[in-house]
């Protein structure tokens, strides 16, 4: 590899600290980490034995002494220590031994508290950051999508992540109004798990539910028919069992979560000042986050709002790309940085 002073000095880092996935972008190198926000912990001594993909594979399959934990469940930091360990692990993996410590921009779920923001900043500092910048998720998504957020026009984004759905209207580099609901991909998985319990007495794991959602799941009015063989454990007999499930059933199981997203979108529109509404009428709403990939969701939102609905290109990486862009031009994006008070 060619020698470069830049690599010796160390590169700045952008992180999308998502409730489902953590992505890390290194300036000059692009996205270098894209892994589930999961750690596996040994119960006896609380030692972390795996991170990311490796930990996710263990999910639901761990022997008694190991458990998998998602430190950011539900859009908040559920476990500070593990969240910090995970952040440090991912930063260490990309930073290496450089002469200069990196600047780090982190995108955080916008529902997190002041205390949680500080925890994220401190974790990055402990991991060697020279400076830390925080950005709210919908803002980072909007920048990643390439919306003209600095202009005096209404830009609307819906970011559907694992723990939350964040809906925001942005103009002149600020969030004009936003709604964050604790409904996202996890809630959809849970709805699928419940559906099997109630209708088939079948217990299925989280990863199986997610697989069903991604392959078969849809929001009405999507009508393509398909089915899938699903394995789990019979709750009565206690033995493994296979059940065939159809797309129509999954659609029904997901209806409540989808309706909640539709309702929150309408509420956000109702609260939007008329001048900005008229911009949104022309420019539409952009969907980002993994939940944007749910089949038929764009169609459903289009029907309910009569607005143009655009699914972002590569919705799972919008946020980290947006955060990376901010990092590359901090002067330009001063206004979008989320302030955290020092003690
Ligand atoms: P976060 O920002 O909270 O980490 P992401 O934006 O990474 O979340 O999105 C992760 C969520 O998207 C998960 O709940 C995942 O199941 C969901 N997801 C990914 N692909 C699809 C798909 N094809 N259909 C529906 N949901 C999906
Ligand atoms: Mg996200």
């Amino acid at each position: 590899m060619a020698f470069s002073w830049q690599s010796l000095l160390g590169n700045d880092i952008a992180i999308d600290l998502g409730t489902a996935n953590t992505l890390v972008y290194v300036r000059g190198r692009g996205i270098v980490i894209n892994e589930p926000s999961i750690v596996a912990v040994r119960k006896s001594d609380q030692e972390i034995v795996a991170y990311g993909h490796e930990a996710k594979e263990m999910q639901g399959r761990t022997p008694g002494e190991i458990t998998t934990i998602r430190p950011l469940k539900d859009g908040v930091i559920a476990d500070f220590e593990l969240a910090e360990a995970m952040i440090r692990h991912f930063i260490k993996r990309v930073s290496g031994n450089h002469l200069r410590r990196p600047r780090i921009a982190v995108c955080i779920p916008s529902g997190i508290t002041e205390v949680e923001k500080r925890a994220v900043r401190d974790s990055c500092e402990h991991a060697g950051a020279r400076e830390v910048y925080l950005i709210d998720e919908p803002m980072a998504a909007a920048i990643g999508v390439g919306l003209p957020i600095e202009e005096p026009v209404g830009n609307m984004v819906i970011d559907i992540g694992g723990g939350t759905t964040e809906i925001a209207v942005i103009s002149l580099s600020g969030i004009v109004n936003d709604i964050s609901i604790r409904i996202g991909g996890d809630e959809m998985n849970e709805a699928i798990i419940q559906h099997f319990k109630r209708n088939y007495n079948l217990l299925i794991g989280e990863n199986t539910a997610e697989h069903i959602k991604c392959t078969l799941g849809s929001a009405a009015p999507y009508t393509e028919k398909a089915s899938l063989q699903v394995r789990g454990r019979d709750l009565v007999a206690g033995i493994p069992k296979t059940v065939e499930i159809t797309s129509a059933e999954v659609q029904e199981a997901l209806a409540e979560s989808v309706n909640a997203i539709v309702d929150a979108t309408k509420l956000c529109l109702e609260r939007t000042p008329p001048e900005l509404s008229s911009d949104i009428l022309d420019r539409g709403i952009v969907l980002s986050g993994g939940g944007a990939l749910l089949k038929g969701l764009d169609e459903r939102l289009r029907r309910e709002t009569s607005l143009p609905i655009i699914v972002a290109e590569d919705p799972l990486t919008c946020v980290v790309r947006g955060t990376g862009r901010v990092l590359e031009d901090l002067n330009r994006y001063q206004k979008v940085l989320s302030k955290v008070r020092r003690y």
Side-chain angles (χ1 to χ4, degrees), residues 164-228:
T164 57
T165 294
E166 316 223 0
I167 306 168
V169 175
I170 296 169
S171 174
L172 290 168
S173 301
I175 292 178
V176 179
N177 65 22
D178 67 331
I179 293 181
S180 174
I181 54 170
R182 295 259 161 102
I183 303 279
D186 295 338
E187 190 76 18
M188 296 181 194
N189 295 350
E190 189 53 39
I192 293 174
I193 292 174
Q194 291 306 327
H195 176 86
F196 278 94
K197 266 194 201 157
R198 257 198 312 272
N199 300 290
Y200 301 102
N201 268 321
L202 189 75
L203 191 63
I204 62 164
E206 220 175 302
N207 289 355
T208 304
E210 179 162 41
H211 175 71
I212 296 169
K213 173 183 71 180
C214 296
T215 52
L216 211 58
S218 63
Y222 191 81
T223 52
E224 204 174 286
K225 288 189 179 55
S227 66
L228 202 66

Side-chain angles (χ1 to χ4, degrees), residues 33-53:
I33 290 180
N34 181 354
E35 300 214 18
S37 307
I38 304 182
V39 295
V41 175
R42 189 161 55 215
K43 283 183 191 156
S44 56
D45 54 3
Q46 295 297 306
E47 196 72 27
I48 298 177
V49 294
Y51 295 89
H53 286 307

Side-chain angles (χ1 to χ4, degrees), residues 8-328:
L8 193 62
L9 286 172
N11 286 315
D12 294 335
I13 296 170
I15 303 176
D16 167 11
L17 189 60
T19 62
N21 298 298
T22 298
L23 286 81
V24 181
Y25 162 100
V26 177
R27 191 171 178 174
R29 281 168 63 198
I31 299 170
V32 291
I33 290 180
N34 181 354
E35 300 214 18
S37 307
I38 304 182
V39 295
V41 175
R42 189 161 55 215
K43 283 183 191 156
S44 56
D45 54 3
Q46 295 297 306
E47 196 72 27
I48 298 177
V49 294
Y51 295 89
H53 286 307
E54 205 190 329
K56 179 155 183 158
E57 271 165 31
M58 294 179 176
Q59 204 170 32
R61 290 204 169 92
T62 55
E65 75 272 18
I66 291 175
T67 147
T68 55
I69 299 174
R70 291 179 45 193
L72 283 112
K73 219 168 166 133
D74 297 331
V76 296
I77 300 190
D79 189 314
F80 279 90
E81 251 175 72
L82 292 180
E84 156 140 16
M86 189 178 77
I87 295 169
R88 290 174 72 158
H89 169 81
F90 286 135
I91 294 175
K92 284 241 166 69
R93 249 172 58 189
V94 302
S95 50
N97 290 322
H98 293 297
L99 293 177
R100 196 179 59 181
R101 300 193 304 166
R103 292 188 297 185
I104 301 184
V106 191
C107 170
I108 43 168
S110 61
I112 82 172
T113 63
E114 197 72 11
V115 174
E116 292 172 326
K117 278 190 193 175
R118 270 191 214 133
V120 170
R121 190 197 57 204
D122 293 349
S123 304
C124 292
E125 283 176 353
H126 292 157
R130 170 160 50 105
E131 272 170 274
V132 181
Y133 308 93
L134 301 182
I135 303 159
D136 286 329
E137 188 156 24
M139 185 63 88
I143 295 171
V145 165
L147 296 180
I149 56 124
E150 296 152 299
E151 288 171 25
V153 295
N155 297 286
M156 185 161 171
V157 284
I158 305 180
D159 183 272
I160 307 167
T164 57
T165 294
E166 316 223 0
I167 306 168
V169 175
I170 296 169
S171 174
L172 290 168
S173 301
I175 292 178
V176 179
N177 65 22
D178 67 331
I179 293 181
S180 174
I181 54 170
R182 295 259 161 102
I183 303 279
D186 295 338
E187 190 76 18
M188 296 181 194
N189 295 350
E190 189 53 39
I192 293 174
I193 292 174
Q194 291 306 327
H195 176 86
F196 278 94
K197 266 194 201 157
R198 257 198 312 272
N199 300 290
Y200 301 102
N201 268 321
L202 189 75
L203 191 63
I204 62 164
E206 220 175 302
N207 289 355
T208 304
E210 179 162 41
H211 175 71
I212 296 169
K213 173 183 71 180
C214 296
T215 52
L216 211 58
S218 63
Y222 191 81
T223 52
E224 204 174 286
K225 288 189 179 55
S227 66
L228 202 66
Q229 302 279 334
V230 177
R231 292 173 184 191
R233 190 183 80 213
D234 189 297
L235 279 165
V236 181
I239 50 172
K241 184 167 88 173
T242 306
V243 162
E244 181 163 343
I245 187 167
T246 64
S247 46
E249 280 177 81
V250 182
Q251 190 171 91
E252 201 183 305
L254 297 179
E256 208 175 308
S257 305
V258 171
N259 290 343
I261 293 170
V262 170
D263 291 345
T265 304
K266 287 182 176 169
L267 188 64
C268 189
L269 284 165
E270 277 167 28
R271 292 184 184 164
T272 301
E275 302 287 2
L276 297 181
S277 301
S278 107
D279 295 338
I280 294 165
L281 192 60
D282 293 333
R283 314 163 66 89
I285 306 175
V286 176
L287 301 186
S288 70
L293 294 168
L294 183 71
K295 292 187 255 311
L297 184 62
D298 51 343
E299 175 72 40
R300 172 70 181 278
L301 285 164
R302 212 168 280 138
R303 278 201 190 181
E304 300 261 1
T305 63
S306 310
L307 294 170
I309 307 287
I310 305 112
V311 177
E313 203 175 304
D314 202 3
L316 284 155
T317 63
C318 291
V319 165
V320 80
R321 285 185 281 119
T323 309
R325 216 177 273 183
V326 171
L327 187 71
E328 277 168 10

